[in-house]
Amino acid sequence: MWRATTVQACGMWPFAAGSGSPMSGVPLGQHLFTGATVCGDPLSWFTRARYISNPSLFMLGMPGLGKSTLVNRMLIGLAATGVVPLVLGDLKPDYADTVRALGGQVISIARGRGGINVLDPGAMGTAAMKIGGDAGDMLRAEAHGRVLNMVAALITIVRGSAMGDHEQSVLSAVLHHLRERTPPGRAVLLPDVLRVLHEGPPRVRAVTLDRGEESRYRDAVDPLHRSLLGILDGPLGDTFASETSTHIDPDAPAVCIDISGIGEADTQLTAAAMLAAWSDGLGTVAASHALADAGLAPRRWFFTVLDELWRPLRAASGIVDRIDALTRLNRSLGLGDAKITHTLKDAEALGTDADRAKARGFVERAGMVACAGLPKAEMEDLGKVVGLSRREIELVSSWSSPPGWGVTGEDEEPPGRGRFLIKVGGRPGIPIRVAITDAERRLHNTNQRWTPNEVATEQVLEQMTNEVARAAEEGPPHLRLPVDDGEGPAETRWTA
């Protein structure tokens, strides 16, 4: 294949024409039919190219076809332009190594390893103190709303149903009461909420309309009290009972909240940890923009990755409302996002028609939609939302086929791996082929636990060799090796 501009190529062939592939943004791969380079990402297509009106990406596809690999490439490319990637809930983990390689911050959340205090306003509270005045008060009010939504989300997960509006009013009054009486520098904890509900101060009782009757007050607050006890002593354990183990660094070049230490079957804790990570991360974004608006910090853009979206969606009825509230409460300026799931069936599996409609709205509102291999029936359902031609449906459906029967003993990849169709509104889709580099392959291996033993041994030996060489360059006493010179047991004689 030879490439040239249309000005040059027409001298050899008079019917040459440009391919028209977009060239703004992160280099993603090659056009499947023309071979031309295709570039793109939600932020670049929103800010510079003006191709989309909403800086968001929704990605669908069968497992193992490279969805997170493509988003990982966007993450690396955007980080090189100064955008801050935020991976808010890394389940496998798919992105932790990449964030470390970028010099970013990786925070681990799991039982006994680390937790999040959902009542801590975090970066928003710190920014409100720095800004002060009316702008600071507005940021505090926004932080209060975010905390209220997060606690309501945890209760929804534990109950399996949404909180009532009256309970939210009671909870809001409790939080205001605690904020007014908690000294600066100390975060409010969920056990503090239980204590206030038990004591029943006048501000909280006024919301319950108890009219001075203790029984009416207890009837009003006991369901909320029981649900909060369920959070602290139930399936969520102590993950949300104490202070945040590690706060997000607002100046980090990239952030990943790693929740891969939570068991696969622990669905409630997984969903709760993801929602808490999203709330904390998006609060950091809001705080950064508030400081920039006040002239106290440089303007920064952010790219959030919300992977495995189907897991929190299925955690409890009404959780879609909480996800929608968390994403809508953030300031849209300077924030792009990528939501990743398998199929639209993840939305159809929700319990109510309202939840299903709201989940489909995530796709409808996305500026970009990227499809990896999907069965034909699911592509036809997606075509009703996105607008796909018959040829596009057949093309993406062909990528969902399994690999052929290998007879040479070599690894056979599925035909759809690394192939995507990018749709923007009613425009024709752009089919691309992504070929990852060696650096990306080392940083992003989603099948690490399926590595053959001999390959794993080679990797360990290579890592040890690199460490030995690095230690030798640094000099003693960074490395000491056992030596057997015949004068005694090797383990008792050491030399630098």
Side-chain angles (χ1 to χ4, degrees):
M1 180 182 295
W2 296 81
R3 291 190 187 182
T5 67
T6 53
V7 174
Q8 296 168 323
C10 67
M12 296 182 289
W13 182 250
F15 308 113
S19 64
S21 298
M23 294 294 292
S24 177
V26 178
L28 300 180
Q30 289 182 301
H31 195 287
L32 199 59
F33 303 136
T34 68
T37 300
V38 177
C39 302
D41 62 79
L43 273 75
S44 299
W45 281 15
F46 174 73
T47 56
R48 295 202 298 268
R50 306 289 182 182
Y51 294 149
I52 58 179
S53 59
N54 183 15
S56 64
L57 165 70
F58 199 97
M59 182 172 291
L60 304 98
M62 301 293 287
L65 296 182
K67 300 186 300 299
S68 56
T69 300
L70 181 60
V71 172
N72 203 63
R73 171 165 293 184
M74 291 185 184
L75 184 150
I76 295 171
L78 286 170
T81 66
V83 175
V84 181
L86 300 175
V87 184
L88 305 176
D90 195 355
L91 284 155
K92 294 182 181 178
D94 284 337
Y95 308 93
D97 289 341
T98 299
V99 169
R100 289 192 186 96
L102 293 172
Q105 179 187 29
V106 177
I107 301 172
S108 296
I109 301 296
R111 296 186 190 278
R113 185 183 303 176
I116 295 179
N117 176 18
V118 295
L119 303 183
D120 189 347
M124 296 181 74
T126 304
M129 293 178 61
K130 289 182 180 179
I131 296 171
D134 293 340
D137 292 339
M138 290 177 60
L139 193 59
R140 287 190 188 90
E142 186 177 346
H144 175 82
R146 190 178 296 276
V147 167
L148 185 62
N149 273 287
M150 189 57 237
V151 178
L154 293 183
I155 291 175
T156 299
I157 291 173
V158 171
R159 284 184 180 177
S161 59
M163 282 182 67
D165 55 352
H166 173 68
E167 289 180 309
Q168 294 192 48
S169 299
V170 173
L171 180 59
S172 179
V174 171
L175 293 176
H176 280 303
H177 174 85
L178 286 169
R179 299 287 184 211
E180 294 169 356
R181 288 159 176 78
T182 302
R186 181 187 178 277
V188 177
L189 303 175
L190 283 177
D192 297 330
V193 176
L194 290 174
R195 175 177 52 80
V196 172
L197 286 175
H198 178 71
E199 294 172 354
R203 180 168 187 169
V204 178
R205 288 180 179 272
V207 177
T208 64
L209 301 178
D210 68 331
R211 296 183 175 88
E213 296 183 19
E214 183 68 16
S215 60
R216 287 173 62 91
Y217 173 74
R218 294 302 166 191
D219 290 341
V221 302
D222 279 354
L224 177 60
H225 201 149
R226 282 193 294 269
S227 296
L228 290 171
L229 285 172
I231 294 175
L232 296 176
D233 301 325
L236 303 187
D238 60 351
T239 307
F240 306 102
S242 57
E243 294 188 6
T244 300
S245 54
T246 305
H247 288 88
I248 293 178
D249 181 3
D251 298 321
V255 176
C256 173
I257 299 182
D258 179 5
I259 60 174
S260 60
I262 301 175
E264 185 74 20
D266 206 344
T267 56
Q268 288 186 323
L269 182 57
T270 298
M274 289 185 74
L275 290 174
W278 295 354
S279 180
D280 198 15
L282 296 178
T284 302
V285 173
S288 176
H289 289 317
L291 290 170
D293 292 341
L296 300 176
R299 178 74 65 192
R300 307 176 85 195
W301 292 352
F302 296 84
F303 179 59
T304 62
V305 178
L306 311 179
D307 205 345
E308 300 290 347
L309 190 63
W310 62 273
R311 294 185 69 170
L313 287 179
R314 294 184 183 179
S317 176
I319 207 68
V320 180
D321 291 326
R322 298 305 164 193
I323 296 175
D324 193 50
L326 288 175
T327 55
R328 286 179 184 271
L329 270 178
N330 70 298
R331 301 181 183 184
S332 58
L333 181 62
L335 173 66
D337 71 85
K339 298 183 182 72
I340 308 172
T341 190
H342 293 150
T343 71
L344 276 185
K345 292 289 192 297
D346 296 331
E348 298 301 326
L350 299 179
T352 67
D353 292 338
D355 282 353
R356 288 191 286 270
K358 291 169 186 173
R360 285 194 298 269
F362 293 152
V363 186
E364 295 169 346
R365 292 193 301 270
M368 301 170 59
V369 176
C371 305
L374 286 169
K376 188 173 183 179
E378 295 184 11
M379 284 300 298
E380 290 176 347
D381 291 340
L382 181 62
K384 299 174 183 177
V385 180
V386 177
L388 297 167
S389 68
R390 177 56 52 184
R391 178 71 184 101
E392 290 171 342
I393 291 175
E394 293 175 353
L395 176 65
V396 178
S397 300
S398 68
W399 298 339
S400 64
S401 303
W405 302 107
V407 295
T408 62
E410 298 180 356
D411 293 337
E412 292 285 340
E413 288 196 348
R417 179 170 294 172
R419 286 163 172 76
F420 303 89
L421 180 72
I422 299 176
K423 289 287 293 184
V424 174
R427 294 172 182 261
I430 305 171
I432 65 171
R433 178 178 60 249
V434 179
I436 63 174
T437 64
D438 291 338
E440 288 175 303
R441 189 174 289 107
R442 286 193 298 271
L443 291 173
H444 187 72
N445 179 11
T446 58
N447 296 320
Q448 289 182 6
R449 296 190 176 179
W450 292 98
T451 304
N453 290 337
E454 60 271 16
V455 177
T457 302
E458 292 175 2
Q459 291 175 346
V460 171
L461 290 174
E462 181 182 358
Q463 181 181 359
M464 293 176 62
T465 302
N466 293 336
E467 292 178 356
V468 169
R470 183 169 59 253
E473 292 177 358
E474 295 174 353
H478 302 288
L479 176 67
R480 292 183 179 273
L481 299 175
V483 173
D484 184 2
D485 55 6
E487 299 182 7
E491 62 270 17
T492 63
R493 295 180 52 80
W494 297 81
T495 184

